[in-house]
Amino acid sequence: MASVTLSSTPQADGFSMPAEWQPHKQTWMIWPERTDNWRLGAKLAQNAFCNVAKAIAEFEPVTIGVSARQYENAAAHLAEYPAIRIVEISNNDAWMRDTGPTFVRNAAGKVRGIDWVFNAWGGLQGGLYFPWDQDDLVARKVLQIEGIDRYRADIILEGGAIHVDGEGTLLTTEYCLLNSNRNPELTKEQIEERMREYLGIEKVLWLPRGIVDDETDEHIDNVACFIAPGEVLLAWTDDSSDPQYAHSVAALEYLSQQTDAQGRPIKVHKLPVPGPLYMTAEEAAGVDPIDATQPRREGNRLAGSYINFLFCNGGIVMPAFDDPMDSVAKEIIQSLCPDHRVIQVPGREILLGGGNIHCITQQQPIDNWLSKTA
Ligand code: KQY
């Protein structure tokens, strides 16, 4: 089945983005390899990504896009996991949340994909690498592989910059979406309008800031997410001397005064942050200091957060950091989502590259779901 490029918008066609906890057909990932982001030839990151893929595969199929150069290596790592498929996709790095499509669905359960313009988190004004031309083709290739029709959006956006509740509300951060290195020609109102047109939402909730030193310009998917309609999980610290405190307090104060698209007051659940966590000298020395514009140095604060997890079919895959807060965060999420089995996977190697489990994954909703379950 071919993938057609559409000239309309999802909203005009009756499509909207489902909540992440709605049923998935599969989850997509990209195999990590660039040695100026992933230390020691990306070997440790490859193991970490494999562990994430295996954890997700306990709940649903996984497809991993791999460059031609790494195809055999990835296939050998994952040969014994029939729920994990390897396909060849060229890329500039391994952040499927941001380079993959955002899927939308209509009332009949038909699925389409949005292919956002990607500029490596800021282009030549603070972006994280150049070029990013292969990353900008990833969403299109995923949709072609699946035979899913595509909307090419006229806006620069990464999937990690948005969360939705599936009932009309979108959550984002001003620091990222209003940053002059993304869409400087658009006003806040025009960006909201684009979100309505592409994601079929009705209301945008704007947190001012995200996680301190998050090199994505503070994506929402590292600081807060919907855990249910009307309920937001927020990264939190009680340490008022930590710069994260002001970010989290501002988010809490804002959300406490907001209602969602259905008119419900937002209920906020606090989720402790780990650490603070910092890059060690050994970790920094393992990264090749070549192309990436973000140098890795001993003492860099890492943007660690347990918010950066993925809902799967019946499960949640979340990071652990060998930190006292690991078990606390897991218990909070498990108690809020009793119908999901929460699995923790080591997240530090992924964090060293600048993100975590949500950033390296993209869920594809099941198609014709309503007719199949009717
Ligand atoms: O967290 C993400 N969504 C992407 C992080 C990119 C980091 C590149 N070094």
Side-chain angles (χ1 to χ4, degrees):
M1 210 178 358
S3 165
V4 173
T5 298
L6 305 155
S7 53
S8 51
T9 63
Q11 183 194 42
D13 296 342
F15 284 73
S16 61
M17 182 180 175
E20 194 172 302
W21 53 78
Q22 292 189 2
H24 303 173
K25 176 181 177 189
Q26 62 181 325
T27 285
W28 288 81
M29 298 174 66
I30 294 270
W31 184 257
E33 65 174 289
R34 63 181 297 155
T35 58
D36 60 353
N37 195 53
W38 306 107
R39 68 185 176 126
L40 304 178
K43 293 299 150 211
L44 300 172
Q46 290 168 2
N47 283 331
F49 276 52
C50 283
N51 289 332
V52 171
K54 290 174 197 171
I56 297 170
E58 292 192 30
F59 304 104
E60 63 194 53
V62 178
T63 299
I64 307 186
V66 187
S67 74
R69 195 171 40 204
Q70 283 285 321
Y71 188 89
E72 282 196 286
N73 179 34
H77 270 83
L78 295 162
E80 287 167 22
Y81 295 86
I84 304 176
R85 172 176 69 152
I86 309 286
V87 298
E88 191 178 315
I89 299 182
S90 306
N91 58 78
N92 302 107
D93 203 357
W95 307 98
M96 187 56 104
R97 175 65 49 188
D98 296 341
T99 60
T102 297
F103 292 95
V104 288
R105 194 167 54 194
N106 71 4
K110 186 174 172 59
V111 171
R112 292 180 175 167
I114 305 167
D115 176 1
W116 309 103
V117 179
F118 180 75
N119 78 345
W121 310 276
L124 301 180
Q125 280 178 268
L128 300 180
Y129 47 73
F130 176 89
W132 55 81
D133 56 324
Q134 294 306 309
D135 276 352
D136 197 30
L137 292 172
V138 168
R140 186 165 146 196
K141 292 178 180 176
V142 166
L143 296 171
Q144 276 170 356
I145 290 167
E146 289 293 305
I148 289 178
D149 293 344
R150 160 184 179 255
Y151 298 96
R152 175 60 165 175
D154 63 347
I155 181 170
I156 294 169
L157 187 119
E158 305 91 41
I162 51 169
H163 263 307
V164 297
D165 65 356
E167 298 190 4
T169 318
L170 179 139
L171 194 59
T172 190
T173 59
E174 291 182 341
Y175 197 74
C176 178
L177 238 59
L178 304 185
N179 200 301
S180 62
N181 63 15
R182 303 303 208 281
N183 300 285
E185 73 288 359
L186 297 181
T187 63
K188 185 176 187 178
E189 291 68 34
Q190 289 170 325
I191 290 175
E192 287 199 359
E193 189 50 33
R194 291 292 199 291
M195 296 299 98
R196 287 191 195 95
E197 287 170 355
Y198 282 104
L199 299 166
I201 54 95
E202 289 148 37
K203 182 166 186 178
V204 181
L205 298 178
W206 294 91
L207 303 193
R209 301 294 300 261
I211 291 288
V212 165
D213 287 342
D214 183 330
E215 64 192 24
T216 64
D217 298 313
E218 303 179 12
H219 272 180
I220 192 70
D221 74 343
N222 210 22
V223 71
C225 64
F226 288 106
I227 196 96
E231 297 188 38
V232 169
L233 195 56
L234 173 67
W236 186 260
T237 176
D238 286 319
D239 179 1
S240 58
S241 68
D242 184 334
Q244 183 58 45
Y245 182 78
H247 289 204
S248 295
V249 167
L252 180 62
E253 286 176 355
Y254 171 80
L255 288 168
S256 306
Q257 294 162 14
Q258 296 300 315
T259 53
D260 67 11
Q262 306 293 330
R264 291 175 288 233
I266 302 289
K267 183 171 184 185
V268 181
H269 305 276
K270 296 176 181 172
L271 190 69
V273 290
L277 307 174
Y278 299 94
M279 190 171 285
T280 66
E282 185 189 357
E283 288 166 342
V287 180
D288 292 349
I290 42 174
D291 286 331
T293 54
Q294 205 73 3
R296 302 300 188 202
R297 299 209 174 88
E298 177 184 9
N300 282 354
R301 181 158 178 179
L302 304 170
S305 168
Y306 300 106
I307 295 287
N308 213 309
F309 65 80
L310 178 74
F311 275 102
C312 305
N313 294 337
I316 287 176
V317 180
M318 66 175 288
F321 302 104
D322 201 13
D323 185 274
M325 287 300 131
D326 286 357
S327 55
V328 179
K330 182 180 178 188
E331 275 167 33
I332 290 172
I333 293 178
Q334 186 64 79
S335 68
L336 291 170
C337 302
D339 297 337
H340 289 75
R341 180 161 63 90
V342 180
I343 297 184
Q344 268 180 321
V345 175
R348 187 170 175 100
E349 286 301 327
I350 311 170
L351 179 59
L352 291 173
N356 229 295
I357 291 169
H358 198 258
C359 308
I360 64 170
T361 54
Q362 180 64 255
Q363 72 282 353
Q364 176 181 344
I366 203 161
D367 53 346
N368 294 323
W369 166 56
L370 295 175
S371 53
K372 278 176 190 155
T373 55

